[in-house]
Each structure stands twice: as C-alpha cells, then as structure tokens.
Amino acid sequence: MATLLTEPTPRHEPDRFGRPDAGWRLRLYIIIFEADTRAGRAFDLTLLAFILISVTVVMLDSVEAISTRWGDLLTVLEWFFTVIFSIEYILRLLCVRKPKRYARSLFGVIDLLAILPTYLALFIPGLHSLIDVRVLRMLRIFRILKLGEYVREFSELGNAILATRRKIAVFLSFVLIVVVVMGTLMYVVEGPENGFTSVPVSVYWAISTLTTVGFGDITPKTDLGRLIASMMMLMGWGTLAVPTGIVSAEFAVRRINPEITTRTCHECLSEGHPSLAKFCADCGAKLPPYQLDAGEN
Amino acid sequence: MATLLTEPTPRHEPDRFGRPDAGWRLRLYIIIFEADTRAGRAFDLTLLAFILISVTVVMLDSVEAISTRWGDLLTVLEWFFTVIFSIEYILRLLCVRKPKRYARSLFGVIDLLAILPTYLALFIPGLHSLIDVRVLRMLRIFRILKLGEYVREFSELGNAILATRRKIAVFLSFVLIVVVVMGTLMYVVEGPENGFTSVPVSVYWAISTLTTVGFGDITPKTDLGRLIASMMMLMGWGTLAVPTGIVSAEFAVRRINPEITTRTCHECLSEGHPSLAKFCADCGAKLPPYQLDAGEN
Amino acid sequence: MATLLTEPTPRHEPDRFGRPDAGWRLRLYIIIFEADTRAGRAFDLTLLAFILISVTVVMLDSVEAISTRWGDLLTVLEWFFTVIFSIEYILRLLCVRKPKRYARSLFGVIDLLAILPTYLALFIPGLHSLIDVRVLRMLRIFRILKLGEYVREFSELGNAILATRRKIAVFLSFVLIVVVVMGTLMYVVEGPENGFTSVPVSVYWAISTLTTVGFGDITPKTDLGRLIASMMMLMGWGTLAVPTGIVSAEFAVRRINPEITTRTCHECLSEGHPSLAKFCADCGAKLPPYQLDAGEN
Amino acid sequence: MATLLTEPTPRHEPDRFGRPDAGWRLRLYIIIFEADTRAGRAFDLTLLAFILISVTVVMLDSVEAISTRWGDLLTVLEWFFTVIFSIEYILRLLCVRKPKRYARSLFGVIDLLAILPTYLALFIPGLHSLIDVRVLRMLRIFRILKLGEYVREFSELGNAILATRRKIAVFLSFVLIVVVVMGTLMYVVEGPENGFTSVPVSVYWAISTLTTVGFGDITPKTDLGRLIASMMMLMGWGTLAVPTGIVSAEFAVRRINPEITTRTCHECLSEGHPSLAKFCADCGAKLPPYQLDAGEN
C-alpha cells in the first residue's frame, strides 16, 4: 500500500509524453491521458464505445447483403468516427509536451493506424477494411483498468510469458528448421501434381500439420507421403507438449512460490531465495524470516 | 461425518424455494426436490431414465431413414415424455412455497425449456429438434449425486476454473482483438474471390485457425495469405499454451496445497494444512475444526 | 528389495490361472507363461516377432496393388500364422489348471480374437481385415518387460490416470451434455441442406469441432451457424485445457512429492504425509524421519 | 566465472576430432571449429548467412513463377553456394586429425547432405529440392551461441525431454497399437468405397484424427463409422493430455527444484541445492563446487 502513497499517478501511464504544467493543455491532458478523474473516466469509456461501434460498422460494411442495403448509412458512420478519432489524435499531439515521443509510442502508432485507412481508401479502395485494425485501440481497455482487478492477472500473464521467452525462442527456431526440412521432403515426395506446388507451399502445409490445424486444402496422396505425414503428426503431438509444458511450469511455479523473485538477501542483495531457505544460497548470510504476503483473494 | 448430523438436508439443494411445512405438498416436495429418501431417489432415477430415452427419441427422429419408418411411434413417445415432464413441472411449481423463485432459477428455466419446444413445434415446425435441449436436465445428475463421490471432483473443477476466471477473461479479450485484426488482414489480402467473403467470415476463419480446429472450408490461396496464415498458426500454438498453463498450474497448486492459504495452526501459526488434517504437521498441536466456507453456489 | 525375495515369480503374471505342479504341463507353462527362463524368453520374443509380421501381412494384404500381385503368398502366410496362434492358444488352455479363467481373462479373450477372424472370414469375407486386432497381442510386450525398465513408467502413467479418473468422468459427462446441446442447436440453425442431416450427425460435428479435430466434411454455411461455431471453438479451447490440466497436475505432484502415498505414521498408520511434516496430521504422533529413497535415474 | 578460467575451450565442441598441434592446420582449425576468436566468430556468422541465403534460393527456385523468370540467376547462386560449402567441407576434413570421426559425426553427415543433392541432381533431377536439408546446418546456430544465453534453455529443454523419454516411449507404443486397431476397425466398417482404401491408409486417418490434425481428406460417411470416430476423438483428447502432462510436470519440477537430487551439502547433508548456489540454504555451510556432468551430447 506504501507504493500507492509515493506514486501519485498510478492510474495513467507514467509521465512519458510530458505532462503540461498548466492551462487548457493540462486540463485536456488530464481528460485524455489520465483516467482517475470523472471526466477522464467518461472520456475513456466513450472512446471505448466509439471504437467498438466503429469496428462493428466496418465489419458489417464488408458483408455484401448489408452493405448493398445500408451502405450509405455505414459510410456516413465510418466517416463520423474517423473524423472523431482524427480530432482526438490531433488533440493528443497538441496537449503533450513531447508530441514526437507520443507519435512514435505503441499507442501513438495504433491511434494513427486507426484513422489512416479511411483516408487512404479514397485513393486505394482495397485498403478500406483495414480500418478494422482500430480494434487494436481496444488494448487501451487494459490500460484504463490499470489499477483495477485485471492488472494483476495481466502482468502475471506477461511475466510468465516473458520469463519463458528464451525457451520459446529456442523452441521456435527448432520448429522452423523442422518445418523447412519436412516441407522440402514432402515437396520432393509428393510433388506439384499432388498440391505441393512449391517448397514454400509445402512449408505452409508442414506448419498447418505440425500445429494440428490440418486445413486439408493440401494433403498427401502417395503412400510414402502419408507415411511421412503420419510420423510428422505423431512428432507434432509431442512437440505441442513442449511450449505448453514450459508455460504451465512457469505458472505453477509462480502460484506455488509467489515470492520466487521477491525474497532478497540483506547482505548480498541476491534475489529469488526459496521460501523455506534459512540462509542465503549466494553469500551464506542468514535470511530474514520469510513472510507470506501475497495470498490469493 | 459430524456435519451430516448437524446439517439435516445435505443431499438436496438448500431450501431456496421454500419447503412446505406439512401435508401433501411436503410429501411431494420431499419426493421431487429431495433425494435422500427412498421415494425421492426412485423419482430422480426414473426422471434421469426418462430424460435419456426422451433425448434419444428426438435424436432418432431427426434421422430420415428412421423417422420415415418409425415416425408415428417416435411422435407418440415424444408427446408422452412431454406430457410427463409438463406434469412434473407443474407439480414442482405447486409444491414449493416460492414458485416464482423456482421458475426463475437455473433448473426452473431448463425444466421449462425442456417442454416448450414440443408445444411450439405445433406452430413452428423447425423448432422441433430443439427439444433435445432437455439433455441439459441431465445436469441434475450431478445434483442428485451431490454427497456421492463425484461432488468433490466437481467442486474442485469448478473452484479451479473459478479461481482462474479473471486470467482467462483477460486472455479471451486479447484473443478476440487478435482474431478481429487477423481476420480483417486476411479479408484484405485474400478477398472474396478466395472465400474470405466478408470480415465476419474472415474472423470465423481466424478463430478456427487459432484454435487449431482448421475446418478447411475456407483456406488462403495467395502466397501472402499463406505466409500470414503460417505465422498465425505458429502464434496460435503458443497462445494455446496459455490457458492450458493457467488451469494446469491451478490444479497442480490445489493438489500440492489443497488448502493453500486458509488453514492455520493456532499454536505455531504455520499455514496450509490439508482440509482433513486433525493435528498441525509442524508442532503437533490440535488443529481447529475445518470449515468448508467456499461452496460452489 | 524385500518384496523380490518374498514374491518368487515376479517376472510373469501372478499365478492366476493355476500353475501345474509337475510334468510336461509345468514345462510348457514355464515356457509359455513365464518369462524368466531362457526358453520362456525365447518363446516370448518369437511370439512378438510373429505377431508383428502377421499384422504387417494383413495390412499389406489390404493394399490392392500388393494383394493383386502377392495375394497368394500373403494368404499362405496369414494361414500359417493363424495355425501357429491356434496351436499356441490350445496349448495355453491345456497347460493351465484353470483354463476357463484364462479363457475369460483379458489376454485370453485377445488371444481368441486374434485367431477367430481368419476362420470367420471363410464364411463372412468382410471380416477379413479384423485379423489386425491381433496387434492387441502386442500389449504383451509390456507384460514381458514387466520387471524391465519400462514398468515403472507404465505403472506411473496408469496410476496418474487412475487417480484422475473421477475428475475426467465428471468432465466427460459435461462434454457429452454440451455436444448434444450444441449439435441440436446447429441442426436447427443449419439444417439438412447444409450437411447437418440429422441430430446424431450434428453431434458428431460438434465433437469433431470441440476436440479441435475439425475434419471439414461438414461445416456451417449460414452466418448464425458460423457465429455459434466460433463461440464453440473458443469454448472448446478453454475446455481442452481442463483434462490436460488435471493430468499435468497429477504428474507434477507425483514428481515433486513421490512419497505422496508412501509415508506412513507409525501410530495411526495413516498415509500420504508431506515430506516436510514432522508430526502426523491425523493423530499428532511424531513421524519417523523422512528418507528420500526414490531418486530418478 | 571460475569454470571459464579452468576450462580453456568452452566455446567450441570438445576436442573430439583431434585439434592439430601447429601450422596452417591449427590456424584453419581455430577459424573453422572454434568460435571464441574474432576470425572464428566471423567465419561462423558468414556461414550462417550463406546457409540462410542458400536455403532461400532453393525455396524460391521451386516457385514456378519465380523460377521461370529468375531461373538462371538462382541456378548460378545455388552452384556458387554448393562450391563454397564443398570447399568448406574439404577444409574441415583436412584440418582435423581424425577426419573419419568428423565425417561420421552428426554435423559431418549434415555437412555432406548439404552439398550432395546439387551434384546428384545432375543425374536425378527430382532430388533437386532436397538441397534444402542444408537448413539442418542452421542447427550450428545453437552450437555457436553455446556459452551465450540460449544454451542454458536449450540444454534444459533437452534434459526435460530426455528425462521423460521412457514415459513417452511407453506412451507412443500404446498409441501405435491403438491406431492400428482403430484403423483396421474403420477399414472394415467404412471400406474402400468411403475412402478408407486400405489398412495403412486407415491407420494414417486414425493418426490424423487422434492427433486432432483432422485433414478431412478421408472422413467417415456411415453412421457407425461416425460413431466410432466420435469416440476416437473424445479418446484422443484425453490421450493428448498425457504427453503434455508428462513434459509439463517435468518442467515444473525442474523450475521448482532445479537440481532435483544431485547437489548435497557436506555439512548437513541436505539435498537439492540449485546449481548456482554457493552456500547451503539450510545450514549456511559452503557448498562443494558445482560440476555439470550431464551434457546434451
């Protein structure tokens, strides 16, 4: 609870983009970037609603039966939301002291991507549906609820995946080597006449098989090809167990030893001592008594 | 075993709908709602058998070869069971003191849904097969066996999933954002000529791919589409590991520390004693009696 | 190690079928049923080889290109193995003292099933390929290697699955109810014109979707059907996590606390005390000091 | 860090192929086989880049649209890389003292396989794309980064899988027996007219179903076949949980007890100290230096 007192602005992002000191820019900044005032909260909720409706509009517009009948209304709505989001984007740029930093931040780029397609679609009609990437703005929902009940879960998920990122990188490299080898093999065995038209296509098939997706748009027809595919599937099964195992283990360890990275030796400041340890495993100093502080609720 | 003596009606639902005080309504209530008398048990078993047969009848009726030959018999049987279930539903309403509460409870709604389709099918023939939702009544099987050996497993499953519900909610929100973005991308890349006829359809494809179902009714045909699909499948693989990991970890922790933070020795203040322990495993002092406070509701 | 001394015949099945006392029947029994003499071991290995070749013969016989060319040879081979296995089966019946018990045991039934189809195929040609069920006889491989290195793994697997059988039973009942409800719903929504020709077929589709197999022989065509299917797939994903989590947790617990069912209180004979416990959690008596005896190797 | 001083050649493979004593062969050996000099590192990185480009060239060459247009350039590039790799292979053979040992080692065989197909393709054009197996040479990437941050993850993965290899062997034998039995059953039930053309093909179908790949190129058409397939899929689901559970448990145990039974304090005889610990966590005594004995080989 002490951190709450020393960190005065925990509900919004840390002051990365330069909080203005006073005036209309400060008032705007508080509404747009902070979420712990009434106005800020109302702004965020309105924004989320607008994003949701706007994404729905673009999705419906792509359904032919609907677009032929309600096309005009949907186009008006889409432009309405695009203009709203454009104004919001400009206001964001105006009210921060480091607008470049905001423009290059993750959410700055997403905010831009959310309005660009409508304008680009005037010139290149095909890009029209890309407006849907504005669903990415929904990621804000996690930021808004930052101190709410979801943040602990979210950061826990993030930490567990972060902690296993190197294991998963090693694993993915291995999988990529395997799918290239198997794809090439199947291309040679089955050949273009059975749907394996090129090595990249065969690699695509190998990935879809190894991940157990198995579309079935390309399938082995020869006996040898089916034998290789059978072995691949059994292999893929075992392989599937590896990342699952890595992440599961990470979660289990975090649930069992929540303090796995929190218990610190007062002498050498090394971290991560098990809850039952009495002495520091790095310098031999006596550890402070273990206190269980993070119960489930 | 002591709880059995102090809690006189552990075998049936707690007295939520108002147990009548005396007369035929009490006798009926005991038979229909309670399961620890001989008559109540017989009633429940008959009911389960009726539900099973009735569901089978509706399933068979939908098979053309069977319905053309045995159609009349099946229709008679279906009406027989519907009448039986209707009488049962009315009796349930009659014998409780708070019939509205029953009608709005989960099982009250299911009981109504189990008889409505037959009557509605008189007017709208298409709804006919919906009678099969009466299989939901089979959920009663868990209620009936409540104090049997299955209930501990059931509430354990429920608790583990309940405990991870927020992690899974966060995870599902993230997945939904991903499938909308990927679906839109594939719609733009592949277009209606390759089966991706609209954004909703593309999102459906993205879900079927990310969950590794991979029907294959819609598949990417262009090289770029296949590249994106390949990356999605590898991603989906990693993603699949997350909920599995969450639930696995929860189960593991529950198996290792069945009472993870709830039971404390009054003598040495050590925590985490199993629910069945009578003495503290650390100092040998007698533990306070265990109280089950977190039911499945 | 003590058990090895008190149980003199650990390498073969316990004396369930009546070991003869002397004579040719004893000699035959030792060869056929026991595996710790040189002759017994040779017999078992020959038998395994015969089973493997015989299964391969039947598999090859079903491939048209091979059967048209080598059909006669394969038929001769099949009859050769069938005669051999028939003689073996009769000898097994002859040399035990309780032949009925053997005939009704699991392996007795499998041994019969392994020879019946060849004879039955004389009358009903379609059953011919069923001879392949003799691959079930390969299960003997685990029995033969009984005291070898595989048995510990095998019984560990068995125990973990056995320990979770009730959780999995609850889970399967739940899944069955879900697939009937979802199958019926899809039958009503999609109807026979989109491939959902009957409720049983729709249930088959629901199972193939929920298990993420996704054959794609039947797929939703309507928008509503695809929406329901999308929700099913996301659900199925979460559901998939449950049995995996159950079994994973079981394995983890067994690996971490190998003594979970082995540590015994000398006072009240209760079992399963954690490795760190100093006092019996059931009677409060001091536990004997914990000895780690089962390392990995 | 002390191990780095006492073990002088940790960055390259142990001296398995005979490190020359002096002269140009030693200089070549250091560049080619060792990675801790500047020249050696540059050589390895160039090699990796060449392998990557070379694999890309072969993959592009198999795409018809590209090969018809850029065919000549790609052929030149392919021969360029083949010549480079051939020279490298010969130099490797020349500079080691035991060239036969190198030629028969895993990487020796891969190095040969990486150049053979180009030469063989002069005589047998179909083998052309097999050159892509040179992607296997990328496995060197793990060797090169040996003391980098990835190696700990890699050997951890390897150890966990190695530790569970017997459980998985038992499991795979069981799965193989199941797929042969189910494949045969489906062949008899569905027959060649529904796509189950032979027992091996049916076994291929059974594998694709049990692993939840579900291509959909072969699917049951009869009611009985679909019933059996439904049961198989539900079974396969549970089965899928087993290897995942085995590997997950192994990872969890390794994360919780990284040195599960191998490191012992000489003072208090407590076990299971982490590999990086310098002092006993139970009594504070200095631990004997940690020796890594179980390499990945």
Side-chain angles (χ1 to χ4, degrees), chain B:
Chain B
M1 295 301 282
T3 45
L4 262 178
L5 298 176
T6 52
E7 292 180 8
T9 55
R11 199 146 206 163
H12 44 78
E13 295 181 25
D15 188 12
R16 289 167 51 201
F17 309 135
R19 198 179 191 237
D21 291 325
W24 63 270
R25 286 177 68 199
L26 176 60
R27 281 200 301 278
L28 208 59
Y29 182 93
I30 289 173
I31 292 172
I32 296 182
F33 281 94
E34 301 185 359
D36 45 3
T37 61
R38 178 177 273 212
R41 194 160 184 80
F43 175 82
D44 281 334
L45 290 178
T46 314
L47 192 60
L48 284 181
F50 276 24
I51 295 168
L52 258 186
I53 300 169
S54 146
V55 168
T56 313
V57 162
V58 181
M59 288 179 79
L60 291 178
D61 196 26
S62 76
V63 184
E64 216 186 290
I66 294 172
S67 77
T68 47
R69 192 158 169 196
W70 306 95
D72 292 344
L73 174 64
L74 294 173
T75 309
V76 169
L77 276 174
E78 191 196 310
W79 274 102
F80 169 73
F81 286 118
T82 306
V83 169
I84 293 274
F85 291 153
S86 305
I87 293 170
E88 182 219 336
Y89 183 68
I90 291 163
L91 287 181
R92 278 183 193 269
L93 283 176
L94 283 181
C95 77
V96 293
R97 279 189 303 170
K98 302 168 188 163
K100 270 189 192 167
R101 197 170 213 173
Y102 164 69
R104 277 180 297 203
S105 72
L106 178 66
F107 276 112
V109 171
I110 290 176
D111 289 350
L112 186 62
L113 283 178
I115 48 174
L116 264 191
T118 319
Y119 298 114
L120 286 179
L122 290 178
F123 309 100
I124 314 156
L127 295 178
H128 190 261
S129 298
L130 275 181
I131 313 170
D132 253 10
V133 298
R134 58 176 60 152
V135 78
L136 281 174
R137 299 195 75 193
M138 291 302 287
L139 287 172
R140 261 170 218 280
I141 209 167
F142 298 117
R143 195 179 57 91
I144 289 165
L145 301 169
K146 199 157 192 179
L147 268 196
E149 46 187 348
Y150 286 85
V151 76
R152 206 163 51 89
E153 317 296 337
F154 196 47
S155 67
E156 218 177 288
L157 268 181
N159 285 342
I161 290 165
L162 220 68
T164 58
R165 72 186 179 286
R166 279 192 302 179
K167 278 204 204 76
I168 286 175
V170 169
F171 177 74
L172 265 187
S173 326
F174 182 72
V175 166
L176 282 177
I177 291 174
V178 167
V179 292
V180 170
V181 171
M182 299 309 286
T184 305
L185 204 62
M186 288 301 283
Y187 172 68
V188 172
V189 168
E190 291 280 330
E193 65 275 17
N194 290 327
F196 292 77
T197 49
S198 69
V199 172
V201 165
S202 303
V203 170
Y204 154 77
W205 173 86
I207 291 175
S208 105
T209 302
L210 215 62
T211 52
T212 79
V213 172
F215 282 129
D217 51 346
I218 305 165
T219 49
K221 301 285 184 300
T222 65
D223 288 342
L224 183 57
R226 283 175 169 171
L227 182 67
I228 297 173
S230 297
M231 291 189 310
M232 266 185 77
M233 288 185 270
L234 287 177
M235 248 172 55
W237 209 3
T239 325
L240 192 69
V242 175
T244 312
I246 295 171
V247 177
S248 297
E250 197 59 39
F251 277 115
V253 167
R254 271 152 203 281
R255 276 287 281 117
I256 293 168
N257 283 347
E259 298 304 313
I260 203 156
T261 53
T262 57
R263 260 188 120 201
T264 310
C265 170
H266 287 193
E267 288 296 320
C268 68
L269 297 177
S270 62
E271 289 187 340
H273 298 292
S275 56
L276 297 166
K278 297 190 200 82
F279 294 89
C280 172
D282 288 300
C283 71
K286 207 166 187 321
L287 285 177
Y290 175 62
Q291 286 167 327
L292 199 118
D293 48 358
E296 9 144 21
N297 75 297

Side-chain angles (χ1 to χ4, degrees), chain A residues 163 166-167 169-171 173-174 176-178 180-181 184-185 187-188 197-200 203 205 208-221 223 225-227 229-231 233-234 237-238 240-242 244-246 248-250 252-254 256-257 260 274 276-285, chain D residues 55 58-64 126-133 135-136 138-139 141-142 149-150 152-154 156-157 161 171-172 175-176 197 201 203-204 207-218 236 239-240 243-245 247-248 251-253 255-256 274 276-284 287:
Chain A
R166 278 192 303 180
K167 279 205 204 77
V170 169
F171 176 74
S173 326
F174 182 72
L176 283 177
I177 292 175
V178 167
V180 170
V181 171
T184 306
L185 204 62
Y187 172 69
V188 172
T197 48
S198 69
V199 173
V203 170
W205 174 85
S208 104
T209 302
L210 215 63
T211 52
T212 77
V213 172
F215 283 128
D217 52 347
I218 305 165
T219 49
K221 301 283 184 301
D223 287 342
R226 282 174 169 170
L227 182 67
S230 297
M231 290 189 311
M233 288 185 271
L234 287 176
W237 209 5
L240 192 68
V242 175
T244 311
I246 294 171
S248 297
E250 197 58 40
V253 168
R254 270 150 205 280
I256 293 168
N257 280 350
I260 203 156
L276 296 164
K278 296 190 200 83
F279 293 90
C280 172
D282 288 300
C283 71
Chain D
V55 167
V58 181
M59 288 180 78
L60 291 178
D61 197 27
S62 76
V63 183
E64 215 185 293
L127 294 179
H128 190 260
S129 299
L130 274 182
I131 312 169
D132 254 11
V133 298
V135 79
L136 280 174
M138 291 303 288
L139 286 172
I141 208 167
F142 299 119
E149 43 189 350
Y150 287 84
R152 205 162 53 88
E153 317 297 339
F154 195 48
E156 217 177 288
L157 270 180
I161 290 164
F171 177 73
L172 267 187
V175 166
L176 283 177
T197 48
V201 165
V203 169
Y204 154 78
I207 291 175
S208 105
T209 302
L210 215 63
T211 52
T212 77
V213 172
F215 283 129
D217 51 347
I218 305 164
T239 325
L240 192 69
T244 310
V247 176
S248 297
F251 276 114
V253 168
R255 278 286 282 121
I256 294 169
L276 296 165
K278 295 189 201 82
F279 293 90
C280 171
D282 288 300
C283 72
L287 286 176

